Amino acid sequence: MDLSLLSALPEIHYEEGDLQALASAPLYFNCGVQLLCTCGEGLISTGAQQFRLYKMSELIFWGGSIMQLMEASDDFRVRMLLYPKKVFLQAAIALDTTYFNYMEESPLYNHGEKSWKNINLWIDLGEMLFTQPASAFRERIELNFLQSMLMWIFSTIPDTYISAAQSYTRKQQLFHKFMYLVHEHAAQMHQVSFYAERLCISPRYLNDITGTQSGGKTPKALIDEQLTAELKVLLNNPALSIAEIAAACHFPDASYLSRFFKKNTGLSPKEFRTRQQL
């Protein structure tokens, strides 16, 4: 995997492999990610959440995401399409938000035989189109491909979405919304009160929700897990000083960040950087 693509993806990109580039530390995908597990199994972390992939699993983050491969079987393999945000926004503008709300809540989908065959036909088409040298029609091809695929997927969603939404309890709905907010804001907003206010509930009720929905974890623990993953991504950039990272992530100073990072990883930021260079 060409890691330079993750920060500034110029066009739709197809790739397949074992994702070992994501094994040593989390990386930020500043692009849409559509990932299909074709063999074996693996565990992907996005910070505060983890997703276990098996053959016929599909994981999608249209808005980008931190990702790290936490564990994988020897035969773990994926097919992947990466989408520039500009292309996605152009393709999605005419579509109802119902589908995208569903995908934010449920980014992992385990296919049946029929839907697995169909989604692979789309990925086959993507492989054919986007592993060729760029042509004069590249931009239009990209837009037409993504919009057509989104419309096809969207046409399969409504009944599933309605069924899933109706089966959610209020606590489950609030937990999904909380995790989305954590994914979006944990790098800068570290206090439980911020998330409780955004959800219009008390911190105590939020603590009750996360305890029920995440195996006993507190809201603060989930926020700190996401923040730690965000810090690892930033520390992988040698151009950023610890002080600059501390300021970007709203820590009072570099020493405060260092104490937080060591508490959550067992390593100082400097030690983490040294290990990544080995």
Side-chain angles (χ1 to χ4, degrees):
M1 179 185 293
D2 181 357
L3 301 183
S4 66
L5 293 172
L6 305 186
S7 59
L9 186 70
E11 56 192 21
I12 294 179
H13 176 76
Y14 172 84
E15 188 153 332
E16 56 187 67
D18 59 9
L19 294 185
Q20 283 304 306
L22 305 182
S24 61
L27 295 174
Y28 181 63
F29 286 69
N30 189 28
C31 57
V33 183
Q34 184 179 17
L35 188 155
L36 274 66
C37 178
T38 59
C39 188
E41 64 178 274
L43 183 66
I44 298 286
S45 172
T46 59
Q49 290 182 292
Q50 294 186 337
F51 302 92
R52 187 165 293 279
L53 278 65
Y54 303 92
K55 183 179 179 181
M56 297 171 61
S57 295
E58 181 180 20
L59 187 61
I60 298 179
F61 298 106
W62 293 123
S65 181
I66 286 175
M67 293 204 301
Q68 182 175 9
L69 182 64
M70 306 303 294
E71 59 186 60
S73 61
D74 291 340
D75 59 345
F76 179 62
R77 296 291 184 277
V78 301
R79 306 180 75 191
M80 181 165 59
L81 281 171
L82 304 179
Y83 302 98
K85 286 187 176 181
K86 179 181 178 181
V87 176
F88 169 70
L89 291 173
Q90 289 176 321
I93 194 168
L95 299 178
D96 192 285
T97 58
T98 304
Y99 166 64
F100 302 110
N101 291 339
Y102 175 79
M103 292 307 301
E104 286 173 0
E105 296 170 359
S106 307
L108 178 65
Y109 183 73
N110 294 311
H111 285 275
E113 291 288 346
K114 183 177 180 180
S115 63
W116 178 247
K117 177 182 177 181
N118 290 337
I119 194 62
N120 270 281
L121 290 174
W122 282 102
I123 302 301
D124 288 342
L125 180 58
E127 178 183 5
M128 182 193 74
L129 293 173
F130 307 123
T131 55
Q132 304 296 322
S135 73
F137 304 104
R138 176 77 180 216
E139 289 187 10
R140 183 165 300 253
I141 290 171
E142 288 187 339
L143 180 59
N144 287 344
F145 168 81
L146 182 53
Q147 192 162 56
S148 296
M149 187 181 68
L150 287 173
M151 284 191 274
W152 173 79
I153 297 177
F154 185 76
S155 70
T156 71
I157 287 297
D159 290 343
T160 305
Y161 177 74
I162 292 169
S163 175
Q166 288 177 341
S167 68
Y168 287 158
T169 65
R170 173 169 165 75
K171 284 188 175 181
Q172 286 173 321
Q173 292 173 343
L174 288 169
F175 181 72
H176 285 309
K177 291 178 181 177
F178 170 67
M179 293 308 301
Y180 177 73
L181 290 171
V182 168
H183 180 83
E184 291 294 302
H185 299 289
Q188 285 80 38
M189 308 305 295
H190 312 162
Q191 301 304 315
V192 174
S193 58
F194 168 82
Y195 300 92
E197 288 173 8
R198 291 291 293 268
L199 294 169
C200 299
I201 59 176
S202 69
R204 182 174 180 178
Y205 188 46
L206 181 55
N207 187 75
D208 183 37
I209 290 169
T210 62
T212 302
Q213 302 297 320
S214 66
K217 290 185 178 180
T218 65
K220 183 60 175 170
L222 292 167
I223 295 165
D224 287 353
E225 285 178 10
Q226 187 69 36
L227 175 56
T228 300
E230 302 272 0
L231 291 173
K232 287 179 178 179
V233 172
L234 294 171
L235 287 167
N236 274 331
N237 183 351
L240 295 174
S241 70
I242 306 301
E244 288 172 327
I245 295 172
C249 293
H250 295 188
F251 284 96
D253 52 44
S255 62
Y256 195 102
L257 181 153
S258 296
R259 289 195 297 273
F260 172 87
F261 192 78
K262 187 158 189 176
K263 176 183 175 183
N264 286 278
T265 67
L267 299 171
S268 69
K270 184 177 180 180
E271 290 169 336
F272 174 80
R273 280 183 155 169
T274 300
R275 288 197 179 190
Q276 294 305 110
Q277 294 169 359
L278 295 178

